[in-house]
């Protein structure tokens, strides 16, 4: 089996609403293994880098303000097809379109507060894991934080 890692983040409103536990439960029930977790605040520079590809979007300023408005819960989850499986249980970007049974479908109402992030590709996952868990060195740095019995 090829183990893949993905980056998942409970956004500030998810943390404020006490949804870290239910979101972790969804990932565990699906079959993912938790490889790293960090409750932390993020500054504007990190938020802007994380969502760098959206910087021309009209909602970018609002998005960065939202992401820096309170603590987030950053996580690395691993398993087969981790990126695609995570996107599947997270649901569509706009909660209005997210199917009931998905995290956004069950817990969110508004696109600007869709409570959870999941990487959209293996290369995004590597980049985001490096941003949040590495020292700019990419996934290799994050992988070193994973207890060996989980690999
Ligand atoms: P996703 O989070 O599903 O990967 P994305 O990468 O396209 O979606 O956008 C990142 C976040 O930006 C998204 O979770 C919520 C916010 N966003 C996207 N489109 C938006 C819009 N039209 N208005 C307000 N916020 C938006
Ligand atoms: Mg995205």
């Amino acid at each position: 089996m090829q183990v893949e890692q993905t980056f998942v983040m409970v956004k500030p409103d998810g943390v404020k609403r006490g949804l870290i536990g239910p979101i972790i439960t969804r990932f565990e029930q699906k079959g993912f293994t938790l490889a790293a977790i960090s409750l932390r605040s993020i500054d504007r520079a990190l938020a802007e880098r994380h969502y760098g590809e959206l910087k021309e979007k009209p909602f970018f300023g609002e998005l960065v303000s939202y992401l820096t408005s309170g603590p987030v819960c950053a996580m690395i989850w691993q398993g087969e097809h981790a990126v695609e499986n995570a996107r599947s249980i997270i649901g569509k970007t706009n909660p209005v379109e997210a199917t009931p049974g998905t995290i956004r479908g069950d817990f969110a109402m508004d696109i600007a507060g869709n409570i959870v992030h999941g990487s959209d590709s293996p290369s995004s996952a590597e980049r985001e894991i490096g941003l949040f868990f590495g020292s700019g060195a990419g996934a290799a740095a994050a992988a070193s934080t994973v207890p060996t019995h989980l690999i």
Side-chain angles (χ1 to χ4, degrees):
M1 150 173 135
Q2 197 189 342
V3 175
E4 186 173 88
Q5 291 190 327
T6 192
F7 176 70
V8 174
M9 174 168 58
V10 182
K11 300 181 189 179
D13 57 336
V15 174
K16 280 183 195 131
R17 289 173 55 201
L19 294 175
I20 295 173
I23 290 170
I24 286 177
T25 298
R26 299 279 178 116
F27 277 84
E28 289 184 327
Q29 287 173 334
K30 179 73 174 170
F32 284 93
T33 300
L34 182 62
I37 183 165
S38 168
L39 182 71
R40 54 171 294 178
S41 295
I42 63 179
D43 60 18
R44 293 191 74 83
L46 178 55
E48 285 172 4
R49 283 184 73 189
H50 174 66
Y51 278 129
E53 64 189 22
L54 301 175
K55 65 174 180 294
E56 306 302 333
K57 300 282 185 187
F59 56 83
F60 185 68
E62 180 193 9
L63 180 62
V64 169
S65 297
Y66 162 57
L67 217 62
T68 56
S69 66
V72 300
C73 185
M75 296 177 275
I76 303 171
W77 287 96
Q78 65 187 37
E80 268 190 279
H81 307 292
V83 170
E84 282 184 276
N85 273 314
R87 296 283 292 190
S88 151
I89 65 168
I90 286 171
K92 288 195 176 174
T93 304
N94 190 342
V96 169
E97 296 168 0
T99 311
T102 64
I103 295 169
R104 287 168 172 164
D106 288 348
F107 297 132
M109 301 277 285
D110 179 25
I111 195 167
N114 63 8
I115 71 163
V116 67
H117 164 84
S119 306
D120 64 10
S121 68
S123 62
S124 296
E126 187 174 334
R127 185 183 76 82
E128 293 164 2
I129 288 169
L131 274 178
F132 282 82
F133 288 97
S135 48
S144 68
T145 67
V146 179
T148 49
H149 71 279
L150 292 176
I151 294 176

